[in-house]
DNA sequence: ACAAACCCTGACGCGTGCGTACGGGATAGG
DNA sequence: CCTATCCCGTACGCACGCGTCAGGGTTTGT
């Protein structure tokens, strides 16, 4: 496959709005264990989960639809209700996603985990995956570091260009007298010359 | 926008096959400058360009269609013919793409460049963009480094898990007696517990 | 003349990760 | 009862970066 890796600018943050949070009455007649022993006070609606994790409701639905997350239970009105561990889960998903894994790859890990015959085996498999990811991350860091250097180099180069005679046109850059011919230019600069692309619009 | 950045495994390489390369007769009657003074011997067909840059022909067409690249001229049979600078151009595109820029962002840079009134101005704008990109790359490196550490931590953690009693089931991990409760687990491990996802297929 | 490579334009397909809109209940407070 | 939020399920849309198929010329060698 080709090249895939984007850089972010910033993370979207959450704005807070208040509504209602699930109450014990939502879920269980007082005094009964709700389905699988989850303190009813700590149940989260999808919106709450969204806010706590910084994701959108839609995203969480999506995660569920691809099998990454399942609500602990439903209210009687079919509202999704999550236990506190869901927060960890979503953050985990996010992290792996940041690690460069697609949602379906993450799914694979979950499968692996859930279908593992024993704990040590599960841990072993997980270890293997993380090991692999570690290598990839290191490689990516190396690549980016190289690009970082190239950028520095190009910036240095461009610094002198800025002081060039203002009357010079870009067309003359390929025969620059200050820097020498275009062969000596950093690749990040050289690529701009010639090969004119179509022009249009403002 | 959400999170976007993938890691690669390896770069596709090129397999060589031989065909015909453009000849002077393709393009200009002997003794005439071909359109814009390009040594006819050095002209590349799209396939040649593809091979030299490691991209596919389709990709190059695509770059052209989004205005990143224009053939220097066409043969009389409408074959695209590129000058040697096209190679630099494609590599440049690839690099910026690796830098995390979309093709249309790259296009913007080209626009900037071509529409710049003077060379110093063009260089200045380019500098600004690269400056910005440098910051992003640095940030991304920082993020990845953090993730690298997390991975290391998780691997260490998992190392001990592998030696756990083979009869333990994953379900009991959340109450691990070796490591303590799940709150002390690395996030990359904690996220796996509970929140069971749907199971199906083999 | 014919075959073997190459090239052309056009257009639909795909995988990812959600955004967004639609029509309609659920829940809480006043 | 009315209303303000929040939620549900379904489904289409979109941006990216090409892959891939279709139908048909172009060059070149023998």
């Amino acid at each position: 496959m080709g090249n895939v890796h984007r850089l972010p600018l910033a993370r979207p943050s959450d704005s807070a709005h208040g509504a209602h949070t699930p109450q014990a009455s939502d879920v269980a007649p007082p005094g009964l264990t709700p389905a699988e022993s989850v303190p009813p006070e700590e149940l989260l609606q999808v919106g709450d989960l969204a806010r706590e994790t910084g994701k959108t409701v839609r995203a969480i639905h999506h995660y569920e639809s691809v099998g990454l997350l399942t609500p602990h239970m439903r209210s009687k009105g079919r509202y999704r209700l999550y236990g506190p561990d869901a927060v960890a889960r979503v953050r985990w998903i996010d992290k792996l996603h940041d690690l460069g894994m697609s949602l379906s790859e993450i799914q694979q890990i979950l499968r692996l985990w859930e279908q593992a015959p024993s704990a040590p085996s599960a841990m072993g498999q997980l270890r293997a995956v993380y090991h692999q990811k570690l290598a990839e991350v290191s490689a990516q860091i190396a690549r980016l570091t190289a690009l970082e250097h190239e950028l520095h180099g190009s910036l240095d180069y461009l610094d002198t260009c800025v002081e060039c005679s203002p009357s010079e046109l870009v067309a003359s850059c390929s025969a620059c007298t200050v820097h020498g011919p275009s062969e000596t230019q950093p690749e990040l600069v050289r690529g701009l010359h010639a090969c004119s692309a179509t022009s249009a619009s403002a």
Side-chain angles (χ1 to χ4, degrees), chain A residues 54-185:
Chain A
K55 315 297 296 182
T56 66
V57 170
R58 173 64 177 118
I60 293 180
H61 284 169
H62 184 55
Y63 294 159
E64 181 176 345
S65 79
V66 295
L68 289 178
L69 182 63
T70 302
H72 239 72
M73 55 182 301
R74 297 277 193 144
S75 81
K76 57 182 178 184
R78 298 198 42 74
Y79 280 25
R80 277 165 255 252
L81 295 178
Y82 299 89
D85 46 353
V87 177
R89 176 60 76 85
V90 173
R91 296 216 176 108
W92 174 76
I93 295 171
D94 218 32
K95 245 167 221 225
L96 291 191
H97 195 195
D98 281 7
L99 269 173
M101 305 184 61
S102 70
L103 295 191
S104 44
E105 282 177 311
I106 300 178
Q107 232 286 27
Q108 310 261 356
I109 296 196
L110 272 186
R111 271 207 193 318
L112 238 90
W113 177 266
E114 289 169 3
Q115 297 180 351
S118 75
S121 127
M123 293 305 189
Q125 295 186 283
L126 185 57
R127 232 190 68 86
V129 174
Y130 281 0
H131 201 76
Q132 153 93 354
K133 275 299 158 189
L134 179 55
E136 291 181 15
V137 169
S138 301
Q140 176 70 346
I141 290 178
R143 293 170 53 113
L144 287 181
T145 304
L147 285 169
E148 203 179 23
H149 289 153
E150 280 209 63
L151 278 173
H152 272 302
S154 298
L155 284 175
D156 286 350
Y157 183 95
L158 290 176
D159 272 340
T160 65
C161 291
V162 178
E163 296 165 0
C164 185
S165 158
S167 60
E168 291 293 346
L169 297 179
V170 288
S172 55
C173 289
S174 41
C176 178
T177 53
V178 180
H179 292 111
S182 58
E183 282 74 27
T184 64
Q185 294 177 6

Side-chain angles (χ1 to χ4, degrees), chain A residues 11-15 47-57 59-60 87 90-91 94:
Chain A
R11 302 302 230 131
S13 45
D14 37 359
S15 51
D48 304 333
L49 180 54
R51 254 171 277 118
E52 291 214 17
T53 58
K55 315 297 296 182
T56 66
V57 170
I60 293 180
V87 177
V90 173
R91 296 216 176 108
D94 218 32

Side-chain angles (χ1 to χ4, degrees), chain A residues 16-31:
Chain A
H17 16 259
H20 88 117
T21 24
Q23 312 228 316
S25 55
D26 271 346
V27 61

